[in-house]
Amino acid sequence: MNEDTNKFTYAHNDTGVPERESRTAGLNRLRVSDLCARLRKSAHEREVPTASDETLNFLLTLALAKNARNILEVGCAEGLTSLALLDISEGAHLTAIERDGSFICAFKNNLDAYAGRYTLLEGDAVDICLTLPDEAYDFIFLDCAKVQYIKLLPELKRILKKNGVLVADDVLMYGWVNGEVETPKKRRMLVEHIREYIAAVTEDSQLQTSVLDVGNGIAMSVKKCGRIKNERKNETES
């Protein structure tokens, strides 16, 4: 991990051993396709970052309940969460953003069976989100560099549909953010960035947000009805 750069990657060494043991981890059971399970096992063995079992199980449950049709994943790595979301969301189209070139080829190979149902955008998430259309997505999974979360929030609100769901991963960060574990000195700035994001989404009158003790912590925000002002456009005009 490095909070001083835009890259923030860390791996789960074993799919059964999450970074942070939530109180419900032992009760939830992830069910994915055999292909997805094999690819996830391989990713863990190679120390490639991917969502924990409990986190992915929550995402799939939520996507199914939401009947997600237009999904955005910000920070997709090798596409294993994307694969699982497309497996469970019949008829959905998924847009994925990834800046690390080492993951791009694997993403395309892993999602070969879903050609035509996904769009892969390569580059910096902040720059790419600026180009995406208003209210285009009903389900957004945010799992890129944690220092980018607060920077991305205005654009994610803009491109999220009314009643759409925004899920941000790793918001408890090993228990540092909520104080259950003391924050290492070199990670304090990172924790402050995450706390800033949590404060922003929980205090935003245009969002309804719950912070959940799932996996390494999830902030789930639902966009209320009502038009979101295009803050970037207004700033440019002024």
Short mmCIF file of all heavy atoms in Angstrom, two decimals, residues 86-128:
data_model
loop_
_atom_site.label_atom_id
_atom_site.label_comp_id
_atom_site.label_asym_id
_atom_site.label_seq_id
_atom_site.Cartn_x
_atom_site.Cartn_y
_atom_site.Cartn_z
N LEU A 86 -21.72 -10.17 -13.73
CA LEU A 86 -22.38 -10.48 -15.00
C LEU A 86 -23.03 -11.86 -14.96
O LEU A 86 -24.08 -12.08 -15.58
CB LEU A 86 -21.38 -10.39 -16.15
CG LEU A 86 -20.98 -8.97 -16.55
CD1 LEU A 86 -19.89 -9.00 -17.62
CD2 LEU A 86 -22.18 -8.19 -17.06
N ASP A 87 -22.42 -12.78 -14.22
CA ASP A 87 -23.01 -14.11 -14.06
C ASP A 87 -24.40 -14.01 -13.43
O ASP A 87 -25.33 -14.69 -13.85
CB ASP A 87 -22.13 -15.00 -13.16
CG ASP A 87 -21.01 -15.69 -13.92
OD1 ASP A 87 -21.10 -15.80 -15.15
OD2 ASP A 87 -20.03 -16.11 -13.28
N ILE A 88 -24.53 -13.17 -12.42
CA ILE A 88 -25.78 -13.14 -11.64
C ILE A 88 -26.78 -12.12 -12.18
O ILE A 88 -27.98 -12.22 -11.90
CB ILE A 88 -25.48 -12.86 -10.15
CG1 ILE A 88 -26.62 -13.41 -9.28
CG2 ILE A 88 -25.27 -11.37 -9.89
CD1 ILE A 88 -26.28 -13.50 -7.83
N SER A 89 -26.31 -11.15 -12.96
CA SER A 89 -27.18 -10.08 -13.44
C SER A 89 -27.49 -10.31 -14.91
O SER A 89 -26.86 -9.71 -15.80
CB SER A 89 -26.52 -8.71 -13.24
OG SER A 89 -26.18 -8.51 -11.89
N GLU A 90 -28.42 -11.17 -15.20
CA GLU A 90 -28.75 -11.52 -16.57
C GLU A 90 -29.23 -10.28 -17.33
O GLU A 90 -30.08 -9.54 -16.87
CB GLU A 90 -29.83 -12.61 -16.61
CG GLU A 90 -29.37 -13.94 -16.04
CD GLU A 90 -30.43 -15.01 -16.18
OE1 GLU A 90 -31.42 -14.77 -16.90
OE2 GLU A 90 -30.26 -16.08 -15.58
N GLY A 91 -28.66 -10.09 -18.51
CA GLY A 91 -29.06 -8.97 -19.34
C GLY A 91 -28.38 -7.66 -19.01
O GLY A 91 -28.59 -6.65 -19.70
N ALA A 92 -27.56 -7.64 -17.96
CA ALA A 92 -26.89 -6.39 -17.57
C ALA A 92 -25.69 -6.12 -18.46
O ALA A 92 -25.09 -7.03 -19.04
CB ALA A 92 -26.44 -6.47 -16.11
N HIS A 93 -25.32 -4.85 -18.55
CA HIS A 93 -24.08 -4.44 -19.20
C HIS A 93 -23.18 -3.82 -18.13
O HIS A 93 -23.64 -3.04 -17.29
CB HIS A 93 -24.32 -3.44 -20.32
CG HIS A 93 -23.08 -3.09 -21.09
ND1 HIS A 93 -22.18 -2.14 -20.66
CD2 HIS A 93 -22.57 -3.61 -22.24
CE1 HIS A 93 -21.18 -2.06 -21.52
NE2 HIS A 93 -21.39 -2.94 -22.49
N LEU A 94 -21.90 -4.18 -18.15
CA LEU A 94 -20.96 -3.71 -17.14
C LEU A 94 -19.86 -2.88 -17.80
O LEU A 94 -19.29 -3.30 -18.81
CB LEU A 94 -20.35 -4.89 -16.39
CG LEU A 94 -19.38 -4.55 -15.26
CD1 LEU A 94 -19.56 -5.49 -14.07
CD2 LEU A 94 -17.92 -4.61 -15.75
N THR A 95 -19.59 -1.73 -17.23
CA THR A 95 -18.46 -0.89 -17.63
C THR A 95 -17.42 -0.97 -16.53
O THR A 95 -17.74 -0.78 -15.35
CB THR A 95 -18.89 0.57 -17.84
OG1 THR A 95 -19.89 0.62 -18.86
CG2 THR A 95 -17.71 1.44 -18.24
N ALA A 96 -16.18 -1.28 -16.90
CA ALA A 96 -15.10 -1.43 -15.92
C ALA A 96 -14.00 -0.43 -16.22
O ALA A 96 -13.67 -0.18 -17.39
CB ALA A 96 -14.55 -2.85 -15.96
N ILE A 97 -13.43 0.13 -15.16
CA ILE A 97 -12.31 1.07 -15.28
C ILE A 97 -11.10 0.48 -14.59
O ILE A 97 -11.17 0.04 -13.45
CB ILE A 97 -12.66 2.43 -14.65
CG1 ILE A 97 -13.87 3.05 -15.33
CG2 ILE A 97 -11.46 3.38 -14.72
CD1 ILE A 97 -14.36 4.33 -14.66
N GLU A 98 -9.96 0.47 -15.30
CA GLU A 98 -8.72 -0.03 -14.72
C GLU A 98 -7.54 0.73 -15.32
O GLU A 98 -7.48 0.91 -16.55
CB GLU A 98 -8.56 -1.53 -14.98
CG GLU A 98 -7.28 -2.14 -14.43
CD GLU A 98 -7.11 -1.90 -12.93
OE1 GLU A 98 -8.03 -2.28 -12.17
OE2 GLU A 98 -6.07 -1.33 -12.54
N ARG A 99 -6.61 1.15 -14.48
CA ARG A 99 -5.44 1.89 -14.96
C ARG A 99 -4.17 1.04 -15.04
O ARG A 99 -3.21 1.42 -15.69
CB ARG A 99 -5.18 3.11 -14.08
CG ARG A 99 -4.79 2.81 -12.66
CD ARG A 99 -4.40 4.07 -11.92
NE ARG A 99 -3.23 4.69 -12.51
CZ ARG A 99 -2.81 5.93 -12.24
NH1 ARG A 99 -3.51 6.68 -11.42
NH2 ARG A 99 -1.73 6.41 -12.80
N ASP A 100 -4.15 -0.09 -14.37
CA ASP A 100 -2.96 -0.94 -14.32
C ASP A 100 -2.92 -1.84 -15.54
O ASP A 100 -3.71 -2.78 -15.68
CB ASP A 100 -2.97 -1.77 -13.04
CG ASP A 100 -1.63 -2.46 -12.78
OD1 ASP A 100 -0.92 -2.77 -13.76
OD2 ASP A 100 -1.30 -2.68 -11.60
N GLY A 101 -1.99 -1.56 -16.45
CA GLY A 101 -1.91 -2.33 -17.70
C GLY A 101 -1.65 -3.80 -17.51
O GLY A 101 -2.00 -4.62 -18.37
N SER A 102 -1.06 -4.18 -16.38
CA SER A 102 -0.76 -5.59 -16.14
C SER A 102 -2.02 -6.42 -15.94
O SER A 102 -1.99 -7.66 -16.05
CB SER A 102 0.16 -5.74 -14.92
OG SER A 102 -0.49 -5.32 -13.73
N PHE A 103 -3.16 -5.77 -15.65
CA PHE A 103 -4.41 -6.50 -15.42
C PHE A 103 -5.29 -6.58 -16.68
O PHE A 103 -6.21 -7.40 -16.74
CB PHE A 103 -5.23 -5.82 -14.32
CG PHE A 103 -4.62 -5.88 -12.96
CD1 PHE A 103 -4.72 -4.80 -12.09
CD2 PHE A 103 -3.95 -7.01 -12.52
CE1 PHE A 103 -4.16 -4.85 -10.83
CE2 PHE A 103 -3.38 -7.07 -11.26
CZ PHE A 103 -3.49 -5.99 -10.41
N ILE A 104 -5.04 -5.74 -17.66
CA ILE A 104 -5.96 -5.59 -18.78
C ILE A 104 -6.11 -6.87 -19.59
O ILE A 104 -7.23 -7.30 -19.91
CB ILE A 104 -5.50 -4.45 -19.70
CG1 ILE A 104 -5.45 -3.12 -18.93
CG2 ILE A 104 -6.39 -4.35 -20.92
CD1 ILE A 104 -6.74 -2.70 -18.30
N CYS A 105 -5.00 -7.50 -19.94
CA CYS A 105 -5.06 -8.72 -20.74
C CYS A 105 -5.81 -9.82 -20.01
O CYS A 105 -6.66 -10.52 -20.59
CB CYS A 105 -3.66 -9.19 -21.11
SG CYS A 105 -3.62 -10.65 -22.18
N ALA A 106 -5.53 -9.98 -18.72
CA ALA A 106 -6.21 -11.00 -17.92
C ALA A 106 -7.70 -10.72 -17.84
O ALA A 106 -8.52 -11.64 -17.91
CB ALA A 106 -5.60 -11.07 -16.52
N PHE A 107 -8.07 -9.45 -17.69
CA PHE A 107 -9.49 -9.08 -17.65
C PHE A 107 -10.19 -9.57 -18.92
O PHE A 107 -11.25 -10.21 -18.85
CB PHE A 107 -9.63 -7.57 -17.51
CG PHE A 107 -11.06 -7.09 -17.46
CD1 PHE A 107 -11.64 -6.76 -16.25
CD2 PHE A 107 -11.82 -6.97 -18.62
CE1 PHE A 107 -12.96 -6.32 -16.19
CE2 PHE A 107 -13.14 -6.53 -18.57
CZ PHE A 107 -13.70 -6.21 -17.35
N LYS A 108 -9.61 -9.26 -20.07
CA LYS A 108 -10.24 -9.63 -21.34
C LYS A 108 -10.34 -11.14 -21.49
O LYS A 108 -11.35 -11.66 -21.97
CB LYS A 108 -9.45 -9.02 -22.49
CG LYS A 108 -9.52 -7.49 -22.53
CD LYS A 108 -8.66 -6.93 -23.65
CE LYS A 108 -8.74 -5.40 -23.68
NZ LYS A 108 -7.85 -4.83 -24.72
N ASN A 109 -9.30 -11.86 -21.07
CA ASN A 109 -9.35 -13.32 -21.14
C ASN A 109 -10.40 -13.89 -20.20
O ASN A 109 -11.16 -14.81 -20.57
CB ASN A 109 -7.98 -13.91 -20.79
CG ASN A 109 -6.95 -13.69 -21.87
OD1 ASN A 109 -7.30 -13.51 -23.04
ND2 ASN A 109 -5.68 -13.68 -21.50
N ASN A 110 -10.48 -13.36 -19.00
CA ASN A 110 -11.42 -13.87 -18.00
C ASN A 110 -12.87 -13.64 -18.39
O ASN A 110 -13.76 -14.42 -18.04
CB ASN A 110 -11.14 -13.24 -16.63
CG ASN A 110 -9.82 -13.70 -16.04
OD1 ASN A 110 -9.29 -14.75 -16.40
ND2 ASN A 110 -9.27 -12.91 -15.13
N LEU A 111 -13.12 -12.56 -19.13
CA LEU A 111 -14.49 -12.22 -19.51
C LEU A 111 -14.78 -12.52 -20.98
O LEU A 111 -15.72 -11.98 -21.57
CB LEU A 111 -14.80 -10.75 -19.20
CG LEU A 111 -15.29 -10.51 -17.77
CD1 LEU A 111 -14.13 -10.54 -16.78
CD2 LEU A 111 -16.06 -9.22 -17.65
N ASP A 112 -13.99 -13.40 -21.55
CA ASP A 112 -14.13 -13.73 -22.98
C ASP A 112 -15.56 -14.18 -23.32
O ASP A 112 -16.10 -13.83 -24.37
CB ASP A 112 -13.14 -14.83 -23.37
CG ASP A 112 -13.23 -15.20 -24.83
OD1 ASP A 112 -12.95 -14.33 -25.67
OD2 ASP A 112 -13.62 -16.35 -25.14
N ALA A 113 -16.18 -14.93 -22.42
CA ALA A 113 -17.54 -15.43 -22.68
C ALA A 113 -18.58 -14.32 -22.65
O ALA A 113 -19.72 -14.53 -23.09
CB ALA A 113 -17.90 -16.51 -21.67
N TYR A 114 -18.22 -13.16 -22.13
CA TYR A 114 -19.17 -12.06 -22.02
C TYR A 114 -18.88 -10.92 -22.99
O TYR A 114 -19.30 -9.78 -22.76
CB TYR A 114 -19.20 -11.54 -20.58
CG TYR A 114 -19.90 -12.48 -19.64
CD1 TYR A 114 -19.21 -13.15 -18.64
CD2 TYR A 114 -21.27 -12.72 -19.76
CE1 TYR A 114 -19.85 -14.02 -17.78
CE2 TYR A 114 -21.93 -13.58 -18.91
CZ TYR A 114 -21.21 -14.23 -17.92
OH TYR A 114 -21.86 -15.10 -17.08
N ALA A 115 -18.18 -11.21 -24.06
CA ALA A 115 -17.93 -10.20 -25.08
C ALA A 115 -19.27 -9.61 -25.54
O ALA A 115 -20.22 -10.33 -25.81
CB ALA A 115 -17.20 -10.81 -26.27
N GLY A 116 -19.33 -8.29 -25.59
CA GLY A 116 -20.57 -7.62 -25.95
C GLY A 116 -21.38 -7.17 -24.76
O GLY A 116 -22.28 -6.33 -24.89
N ARG A 117 -21.07 -7.71 -23.59
CA ARG A 117 -21.80 -7.33 -22.37
C ARG A 117 -20.96 -6.46 -21.44
O ARG A 117 -21.43 -6.09 -20.37
CB ARG A 117 -22.29 -8.57 -21.62
CG ARG A 117 -23.46 -9.28 -22.30
CD ARG A 117 -24.06 -10.33 -21.37
NE ARG A 117 -24.51 -9.73 -20.13
CZ ARG A 117 -24.74 -10.44 -19.02
NH1 ARG A 117 -24.55 -11.76 -19.00
NH2 ARG A 117 -25.16 -9.84 -17.91
N TYR A 118 -19.75 -6.16 -21.84
CA TYR A 118 -18.92 -5.29 -21.00
C TYR A 118 -18.16 -4.29 -21.87
O TYR A 118 -17.91 -4.52 -23.05
CB TYR A 118 -17.95 -6.09 -20.14
CG TYR A 118 -16.76 -6.64 -20.87
CD1 TYR A 118 -15.62 -5.86 -21.10
CD2 TYR A 118 -16.74 -7.94 -21.35
CE1 TYR A 118 -14.52 -6.36 -21.77
CE2 TYR A 118 -15.65 -8.46 -22.02
CZ TYR A 118 -14.54 -7.65 -22.24
OH TYR A 118 -13.45 -8.15 -22.91
N THR A 119 -17.79 -3.19 -21.23
CA THR A 119 -16.91 -2.19 -21.83
C THR A 119 -15.78 -1.95 -20.86
O THR A 119 -16.01 -1.67 -19.68
CB THR A 119 -17.66 -0.86 -22.07
OG1 THR A 119 -18.77 -1.10 -22.93
CG2 THR A 119 -16.74 0.18 -22.69
N LEU A 120 -14.55 -2.08 -21.32
CA LEU A 120 -13.37 -1.86 -20.48
C LEU A 120 -12.73 -0.54 -20.86
O LEU A 120 -12.34 -0.33 -22.01
CB LEU A 120 -12.37 -3.01 -20.64
CG LEU A 120 -11.06 -2.88 -19.86
CD1 LEU A 120 -11.32 -2.80 -18.37
CD2 LEU A 120 -10.15 -4.06 -20.18
N LEU A 121 -12.65 0.36 -19.89
CA LEU A 121 -12.05 1.68 -20.09
C LEU A 121 -10.71 1.73 -19.36
O LEU A 121 -10.67 1.52 -18.15
CB LEU A 121 -12.98 2.78 -19.57
CG LEU A 121 -14.39 2.80 -20.18
CD1 LEU A 121 -15.25 3.87 -19.52
CD2 LEU A 121 -14.32 3.01 -21.69
N GLU A 122 -9.65 1.99 -20.09
CA GLU A 122 -8.31 1.95 -19.53
C GLU A 122 -7.80 3.36 -19.24
O GLU A 122 -7.79 4.21 -20.12
CB GLU A 122 -7.36 1.24 -20.50
CG GLU A 122 -7.80 -0.16 -20.87
CD GLU A 122 -6.91 -0.81 -21.91
OE1 GLU A 122 -5.69 -0.52 -21.91
OE2 GLU A 122 -7.42 -1.59 -22.73
N GLY A 123 -7.40 3.60 -18.00
CA GLY A 123 -6.86 4.90 -17.64
C GLY A 123 -7.23 5.30 -16.24
O GLY A 123 -7.73 4.50 -15.44
N ASP A 124 -6.99 6.57 -15.92
CA ASP A 124 -7.24 7.10 -14.58
C ASP A 124 -8.74 7.26 -14.37
O ASP A 124 -9.46 7.84 -15.20
CB ASP A 124 -6.54 8.44 -14.43
CG ASP A 124 -6.74 9.02 -13.04
OD1 ASP A 124 -6.07 8.57 -12.11
OD2 ASP A 124 -7.61 9.90 -12.91
N ALA A 125 -9.23 6.78 -13.23
CA ALA A 125 -10.67 6.78 -12.96
C ALA A 125 -11.24 8.19 -12.91
O ALA A 125 -12.36 8.43 -13.40
CB ALA A 125 -10.95 6.04 -11.66
N VAL A 126 -10.51 9.13 -12.33
CA VAL A 126 -11.00 10.50 -12.24
C VAL A 126 -11.21 11.08 -13.63
O VAL A 126 -12.26 11.66 -13.93
CB VAL A 126 -10.05 11.38 -11.40
CG1 VAL A 126 -10.50 12.83 -11.44
CG2 VAL A 126 -10.00 10.89 -9.96
N ASP A 127 -10.23 10.90 -14.50
CA ASP A 127 -10.33 11.43 -15.86
C ASP A 127 -11.46 10.76 -16.63
O ASP A 127 -12.22 11.42 -17.35
CB ASP A 127 -9.01 11.23 -16.60
CG ASP A 127 -7.88 12.05 -16.02
OD1 ASP A 127 -8.16 13.07 -15.36
OD2 ASP A 127 -6.70 11.68 -16.22
N ILE A 128 -11.58 9.45 -16.50
CA ILE A 128 -12.60 8.71 -17.25
C ILE A 128 -14.00 9.08 -16.78
O ILE A 128 -14.91 9.28 -17.60
CB ILE A 128 -12.36 7.20 -17.14
CG1 ILE A 128 -11.10 6.81 -17.92
CG2 ILE A 128 -13.57 6.42 -17.66
CD1 ILE A 128 -10.68 5.37 -17.75
#
